[in-house]
Amino acid sequence: MDRRAFIKIGGALTIGTVLGQGFQFYQAVADSKGEKTSALAKNKWGMLIDLNKCDAGCTACVDACRKENNVPLFGDKERDIHWIRKASVKQKFPNAREQSVPLLCNHCENPACVQVCPTMASFVRKDGIVLVDKHRCIGCRYCMIACPYKARSFVFKETHDWTNKDVPKRMHGVVEKCDLCVHRIDKGQKPACVEACANANNGAMVFGDLNDPESGISKLIANNAVQQIRADLGLKPKVYYIGM
Amino acid sequence: MNKKPLAIIVMAIALIVLLSPFIYNAFGTGLFSKVPRPEIKIEKEGKCVRDTEYMRRNHMNILLHSRDEAVREGVRAKDDSLNNCRSCHPSRGDFCIKCHSYIGAKPECFECHYYPKKAER
């Protein structure tokens, strides 16, 4: 065999091996039938919280979130994980009223956490939800430093309570945060906190599509004096507050 | 001094040591018996989402691919989800673990995803 023939055969074998495998895999994935749903770019999910309706003593949203997403409380302030928490806010002048503000991930349009993530584990989904791919996260915690809202928590240890088995737990060594109950959104439901708030007869939390001008949340934003937390940072947060 | 016989003996011993794993696996009874192949119990008989042969080789590719699509794109393919596996193979102990321990694979799926070792009734 001369050199030319040898290279020809070798090249053909290499191409065949690579393409064959790839094609086989592609075919298997393309063959997949059955029900499928997908996040759509036309949606832009956001949340509005009416602080006038939010009761300072009520923790329905926090409890529902912990139950729905298996968010543990270890009773150790430095290890506890918060997806949504209630902070008490008071202005500095005398006789100022104290407000209880639910704080969660703002699902920014220009998220600082996504920019700094070295593994692209943090990302923005097509419908505007900022997510952490826990399969990919290496737990470097850059995102926790970058986030001005302190929305992210590091999983120092695993939880053993598994209240909702449809939602996975997290292994230690990843960063997690509010995902707007993305598994529920994909089923066409509202986030657990919003539902719990409505069930507690407060109805302070409204969830909806910011891209749809006819949605409840868009109308409320258009007709009220709404505020975002630290809008000056330019991250374009998608959680709005009334009466802050 | 002629060292040839010694060298041959040492080489023979070395060859036997090197080939010992193959010899171990090749012979049948007693100490050298094979590890029995895992027997998989399928609770709900019927057709899998793909051919059985295909699933044996490629289930991990399907799971990985649909995992990334589900997390990143929000594509929830019902067929390719772990929950759907569970509908026919309710017990991980009788299904996943049997083959995985036979070949020594340790996937980390179930550190976080729910799939009980014993079927729930």
Side-chain angles (χ1 to χ4, degrees):
Chain A
M1 192 190 294
D2 61 351
R3 183 187 289 184
R4 181 178 284 255
F6 178 77
I7 291 173
K8 263 186 193 166
I9 293 170
L13 278 175
T14 315
I15 292 170
T17 318
V18 172
L19 283 189
Q21 284 285 329
F23 183 70
Q24 218 180 9
F25 178 54
Y26 172 78
Q27 210 179 20
V29 170
D31 276 351
S32 121
K33 281 168 249 144
E35 286 174 50
K36 246 186 192 182
T37 52
S38 176
L40 296 172
K42 74 172 169 93
N43 296 323
K44 189 167 101 177
W45 301 119
M47 198 182 276
L48 177 99
I49 301 172
D50 189 343
L51 294 178
N52 301 323
K53 291 183 189 168
C54 182
D55 181 5
C58 170
T59 55
C61 51
V62 183
D63 299 339
C65 177
R66 290 195 181 284
K67 222 173 156 185
E68 174 72 25
N69 295 305
N70 311 311
V71 184
L73 262 186
F74 299 113
D76 173 357
K77 263 191 182 172
E78 293 185 351
R79 302 281 187 271
D80 278 345
I81 297 168
H82 303 281
W83 284 24
I84 178 168
R85 61 190 198 275
K86 290 193 87 180
S88 173
V89 179
K90 200 176 178 184
Q91 274 167 328
K92 275 188 174 162
F93 47 81
N95 301 328
R97 66 197 170 113
E98 202 172 315
Q99 268 184 325
S100 168
V101 183
L103 296 171
L104 66 155
C105 171
N106 281 269
H107 296 276
C108 312
E109 273 175 64
N110 303 323
C113 52
V114 171
Q115 275 188 25
V116 299
C117 182
T119 59
M120 294 166 102
S122 286
F123 64 101
V124 188
R125 212 169 76 148
K126 268 189 232 158
D127 50 3
I129 304 175
V130 180
L131 289 174
V132 188
D133 187 345
K134 279 95 170 186
H135 304 113
R136 227 175 147 144
C137 176
I138 56 169
C140 71
R141 287 169 269 181
Y142 283 175
C143 53
M144 288 173 67
I145 300 166
C147 176
Y149 304 105
K150 281 201 170 186
R152 291 170 166 250
S153 313
F154 184 70
V155 183
F156 280 98
K157 46 188 176 184
E158 278 168 58
T159 173
H160 297 293
D161 316 326
W162 208 338
T163 42
N164 182 6
K165 297 202 163 66
D166 289 337
V167 177
K169 297 196 288 186
R170 271 75 56 182
M171 261 172 112
H172 70 93
V174 297
V175 171
E176 62 175 358
K177 67 170 195 71
C178 160
D179 60 8
L180 270 184
C181 286
V182 70
H183 58 285
R184 292 171 64 96
I185 292 175
D186 286 347
K187 276 189 258 171
Q189 294 167 319
K190 283 177 181 175
C193 53
V194 177
E195 211 172 270
C197 190
N199 289 341
N201 290 323
N202 289 327
M205 299 173 105
V206 182
F207 168 81
D209 187 359
L210 298 172
N211 269 354
D212 174 11
E214 295 303 310
S215 67
I217 185 169
S218 299
K219 282 181 183 166
L220 278 169
I221 289 172
N223 299 327
N224 285 285
V226 290
Q227 275 178 306
Q228 296 149 303
I229 301 176
R230 290 303 305 269
D232 56 312
L233 292 173
L235 303 179
K236 295 189 184 169
K238 289 205 286 285
V239 176
Y240 294 83
Y241 293 87
I242 294 180
M244 186 154 65
Chain B
M1 204 167 71
N2 190 5
K3 283 186 180 172
K4 211 174 178 183
L6 187 70
I8 289 174
I9 291 167
V10 170
M11 277 165 71
I13 291 171
L15 200 69
I16 289 169
V17 170
L18 281 175
L19 290 177
S20 60
F22 298 101
I23 297 167
Y24 184 88
N25 279 328
F27 292 106
T29 52
L31 181 65
F32 293 111
S33 67
K34 283 186 186 175
V35 180
R37 291 194 69 145
E39 271 178 45
I40 291 165
K41 205 169 85 188
I42 294 173
E43 300 257 332
K44 210 174 93 183
E45 294 283 339
K47 215 176 164 294
C48 196
V49 290
R50 311 276 200 294
D51 297 335
T52 311
E53 279 305 313
Y54 185 83
M55 286 307 280
R56 279 192 190 144
R57 271 176 174 274
N58 296 304
H59 60 280
M60 65 300 266
N61 291 338
I62 296 174
L63 283 171
L64 276 180
H65 180 82
S66 59
R67 173 193 93 179
D68 288 343
E69 274 206 325
V71 174
R72 299 228 148 218
E73 311 285 329
V75 177
R76 311 258 174 191
K78 191 173 167 276
D79 273 2
D80 297 351
S81 70
L82 272 180
N83 272 342
N84 197 41
C85 297
R86 203 143 61 83
S87 62
C88 292
H89 316 284
S91 141
R92 179 158 60 94
D94 288 338
F95 184 56
C96 313
I97 292 179
K98 277 203 170 155
C99 287
H100 286 162
S101 66
Y102 179 74
I103 59 162
K106 275 186 191 161
E108 287 177 329
C109 312
F110 312 109
E111 306 277 328
C112 302
H113 291 269
Y114 181 69
Y115 204 145
K117 272 194 180 176
K118 280 184 182 165
E120 284 184 333
R121 298 280 165 202

